[in-house]
Amino acid sequence: MRAAIIGAGSLGTIIGALMTHRGRQVDLIDANEEHVAVMSRVGARITGEMDLLVPVHALTPSQMSGQYDLVFLLNKQTANDAVLRHLLPFLHDDSIVCTLQNGIPEPRVASYVSAQRTIGGAVGFGATWVGPGVSQLTTREETVRNFAFEIGEIDGAARPRLAQVQAYLSCVGTTRILPDLMGIRWSKVLMNATFSGMSAALGCTFGEVMDDARALRCIAFLADETLRAAHAAGHRMAPMQGEDFEQFFLASAADVDAKIPLIERIWNQHRQLRASMLQDLEKGRDTEINFINGIVRDTGRQFGIPTPFNDRVIELVLEAQSRRQVPTFSNITRFDDLLSSRSGQAQHV
């Protein structure tokens, strides 16, 4: 099987290196020519929670040739239109395109490559791109080993091709096949809208978010808004990282303190992580905020669900993006009015 990773950035470099290390042939494709040159000459290096240097086959999009049986999409959704248009000639009728991107990208991907060729999945770990040829694993290795990926078909069918995709992804860590792709997609949106959103809005690591009482309260409200939006759209949260994400429901604002142990259990293993959106801001690039917290906002508006905490995260990240600045933790004060309005306020279903 001929396979490729499109978008060999922070996550793609690690995934491609581990697939190669464990005997799978896969092309690591990225538009960063210097990054590709270093990987081709030296190899792909994983640092942080893992120390590994792997010789890989890396190339730029202009160097692609032939057709691929399996393609993993790990580029930013902001580049999807250009990436998917470029990819089409390199697919055949039975090619599999597995999107591992943030948000809920399957409809957009399927609009280009067809629903018949599209499957989706969620990544259960994080990474930081250090420089050409180097990516830092910022999630504990044990977590990667146990909760690397969850994949599924758009229509929930159990097709044999899922096992082919699973075989590649299992080189990285445990990969589960699920019948409810949108359930896991919404759970991953919750993972990202909470800590990735706050990391980008405050310019800090997940650990710094966890260590601030106000930020933790914001996390609980962000999670609750996401869960309510998912429910309104007809989806229940799938379990993720060994936890039932339906637990994030807040019957009232008084429930927030009871959610802190749940938050700590899930995100303690990701304390070193800096959101990819924050990494984009640091590089002066546009972020995926409208594909992450924006999904919660747009779904909330569609069904009449208020999403003030997600709205505020979007506001702060878009401000930083438009100014090409990196936010600072002082932005936490921009949530004070929302927290004050929720204190003592019951939100009953």
Side-chain angles (χ1 to χ4, degrees):
M1 177 172 277
R2 190 161 187 249
I5 289 173
I6 306 290
S10 57
L11 285 171
T13 297
I14 291 174
I15 292 168
L18 291 175
M19 285 179 179
T20 303
H21 182 63
R22 286 166 184 145
R24 296 284 176 175
Q25 293 186 339
V26 59
D27 291 347
L28 278 67
I29 302 170
D30 197 83
N32 185 324
E33 294 183 1
E34 185 181 4
H35 180 44
V36 167
V38 171
M39 288 195 292
S40 297
R41 186 176 67 252
V42 179
R45 180 176 292 280
I46 305 173
T47 63
E49 295 291 317
M50 192 179 291
D51 184 11
L52 193 65
L53 177 64
V54 182
V56 296
H57 187 236
L59 58 156
T60 62
S62 65
Q63 296 170 322
M64 293 170 64
S65 63
Q67 293 182 316
Y68 289 95
D69 304 301
L70 173 59
V71 175
F72 295 99
L73 292 181
L74 281 147
N75 58 279
K76 303 289 186 185
Q77 278 208 67
T78 50
N80 260 5
D81 289 346
V83 166
L84 292 167
R85 279 195 296 266
H86 178 79
L87 177 61
L88 282 173
F90 303 101
L91 303 176
H92 55 74
D93 289 346
D94 295 321
S95 294
I96 304 166
V97 178
C98 177
T99 171
L100 298 173
Q101 298 163 306
N102 289 325
I104 303 178
E106 287 78 14
R108 190 66 174 170
V109 172
S111 73
Y112 278 94
V113 307
S114 80
Q116 290 71 32
R117 292 194 288 200
T118 305
I119 71 171
V123 183
F125 60 96
T128 297
W129 192 76
V130 177
V134 185
S135 186
Q136 179 187 9
L137 179 63
T138 50
T139 296
R140 293 172 186 167
E141 187 176 352
E142 180 184 5
T143 301
V144 179
R145 189 164 56 248
N146 294 330
F147 304 107
F149 305 99
E150 285 151 315
I151 60 172
E153 296 275 4
I154 294 176
D155 62 5
R159 296 186 177 91
R161 66 181 184 172
L162 285 171
Q164 295 177 293
V165 179
Q166 183 185 43
Y168 270 80
L169 294 175
S170 293
C171 295
V172 180
T174 298
T175 301
R176 294 173 176 83
I177 296 174
L178 300 178
D180 182 12
L181 177 61
M182 285 303 105
I184 196 62
R185 270 302 187 194
W186 272 102
S187 290
K188 185 61 188 290
V189 168
L190 188 151
M191 287 280 290
N192 286 333
T194 51
F195 272 86
S196 293
M198 289 297 284
S199 170
L202 303 180
C204 66
T205 64
F206 286 19
E208 290 171 286
V209 175
M210 293 188 69
D211 292 339
D212 185 89
R214 283 183 295 180
L216 266 182
R217 290 185 66 80
C218 291
I219 292 292
F221 290 120
L222 285 163
D224 177 67
E225 290 175 5
T226 305
L227 187 147
R228 289 173 183 271
H231 283 185
H235 304 290
R236 288 184 64 80
M237 295 290 182
M240 196 170 188
Q241 307 248 323
E243 295 286 352
D244 177 8
F245 274 35
E246 287 289 321
Q247 295 179 82
F248 283 107
F249 177 78
L250 296 175
S252 76
D255 287 350
V256 168
D257 289 344
K259 304 301 176 185
I260 302 305
L262 172 64
I263 293 169
E264 291 175 339
R265 283 199 306 273
I266 295 171
W267 278 281
N268 253 330
Q269 54 210 330
H270 305 288
R271 287 185 60 90
Q272 298 179 56
L273 188 57
R274 296 169 68 81
S276 62
M277 292 190 290
L278 176 56
Q279 295 178 54
D280 287 334
L281 291 173
E282 290 169 339
K283 296 168 186 171
R285 299 175 181 167
D286 288 349
T287 71
E288 292 184 291
I289 190 69
N290 285 319
F291 300 101
I292 298 174
N293 297 79
I295 289 286
V296 182
R297 172 199 61 200
D298 295 345
T299 305
R301 287 177 180 172
Q302 181 182 355
F303 293 101
I305 306 296
T307 59
F309 283 85
N310 278 277
D311 295 349
R312 186 61 49 85
V313 167
I314 294 166
E315 177 186 333
L316 293 172
V317 173
L318 288 180
E319 278 182 12
Q321 181 174 295
S322 66
R323 296 171 182 168
R324 295 303 183 204
Q325 294 177 341
V326 179
T328 65
F329 203 90
S330 62
N331 273 351
I332 190 64
T333 60
R334 299 279 294 274
F335 292 92
D336 285 348
D337 61 326
L338 298 179
L339 290 170
S340 295
S341 70
R342 293 303 301 272
S343 62
Q345 177 191 66
Q347 183 180 9
H348 296 290
V349 179

